[in-house]
Amino acid sequence: MTESGRWRILLADDHALVRRGVRMILEQQPDFSVVAEVGDGKEAVDVLRDVEVDLAILDVAMPRLTGLQAAREISRRKESPKILMLSMHDNEQYFFSSLKVGASGYVLKSVADRDLVDACRAALRGESFLYPGAESTLVRDYLGRVKRGERLPNAVLTPREDEVVKLIAESHSSREIAQLLSISVKTVERHRENILAKLGMRDRTELTRYAVRAGLIEP
């Protein structure tokens, strides 16, 4: 919080119009201040090295790093901000993935004008925010298991493999992926082989469909 008593917010979305609309909603609140605004998940992770933030609002699907991948990185920090996910998709898998990477809530863009402020305030109080309709029996069961500290199933792919899948689905070549991730082309090819074997898939088309379902890229 700033000296003037305002909560510091980071806003990350790859659509400038969405960022503008969300910023307007937030800055109508006298105690909210958007102190950083970025266009992808990698920028969101990087800017937190220099800017103190109380709450990070991350779009689920963004270039370079998705909001989910960025949230995973951010939540590992010693003094990480609270995290909210913002999405256009009323998607159960995205919702569960958001909880698993440490987000306090999941807000649909279609009703951000109604839900976003409440979600922000809940997150800043250390509470969870469930968008209307999310409290199905399955969700309550999932949250109950998390609260009780029960072991949850591990993800099929590792975080690094998720990064490779995302870049493959975005049509990057092996050489480009190697440069972006600072690894060798041979390592990229090994990751690709392991990913295809784990998922039981054969080619880029099937990986792209998986990437959409897993929230790594937008449809």
Side-chain angles (χ1 to χ4, degrees), residues 1-8 29-33 54 121:
M1 186 176 277
T2 65
E3 291 181 3
S4 59
R6 304 180 81 185
W7 295 106
R8 300 161 298 187
Q29 305 301 309
D31 56 340
F32 285 177
S33 176
D54 302 300
R121 295 199 182 284

Side-chain angles (χ1 to χ4, degrees), residues 77-171:
R77 299 190 173 198
K78 187 175 181 181
E79 294 183 5
S80 64
K82 302 296 183 182
I83 300 170
L84 275 182
M85 305 308 299
L86 190 63
S87 178
M88 62 186 292
H89 304 291
D90 186 355
N91 180 295
E92 188 177 87
Q93 184 167 350
Y94 291 177
F95 177 76
F96 286 154
S97 296
S98 297
L99 297 178
K100 194 165 186 179
V101 297
S104 297
Y106 185 96
V107 179
L108 298 178
K109 291 182 182 180
S110 59
V111 290
D113 57 335
R114 184 190 70 196
D115 291 344
L116 183 60
V117 170
D118 287 344
C120 290
R121 295 199 182 284
L124 290 165
R125 290 194 302 268
E127 300 172 2
S128 298
F129 177 84
L130 305 182
Y131 65 89
E135 291 197 39
S136 63
T137 303
L138 185 58
V139 173
R140 286 196 299 271
D141 176 67
Y142 181 94
L143 292 174
R145 289 163 63 197
V146 171
K147 189 174 182 179
R148 292 191 298 271
E150 294 180 12
R151 190 171 183 276
L152 300 170
N154 291 324
V156 175
L157 302 182
T158 66
R160 173 61 91 188
E161 287 169 342
D162 274 343
E163 290 176 341
V164 173
V165 169
K166 174 178 169 58
L167 293 170
I168 291 173
E170 291 175 345
S171 299

Side-chain angles (χ1 to χ4, degrees), residues 160 163 167 175-185 187-188:
R160 173 61 91 188
E163 290 176 341
L167 293 170
R175 186 172 298 278
E176 290 170 338
I177 294 171
Q179 291 173 344
L180 288 166
L181 299 181
S182 300
I183 57 179
S184 69
V185 173
T187 300
V188 173

Side-chain angles (χ1 to χ4, degrees), residues 5 10 23 30 42 44 114 138 167 189:
L10 162 68
R23 187 173 194 136
K42 178 69 164 56
R114 184 190 70 196
L138 185 58
L167 293 170
E189 294 299 336

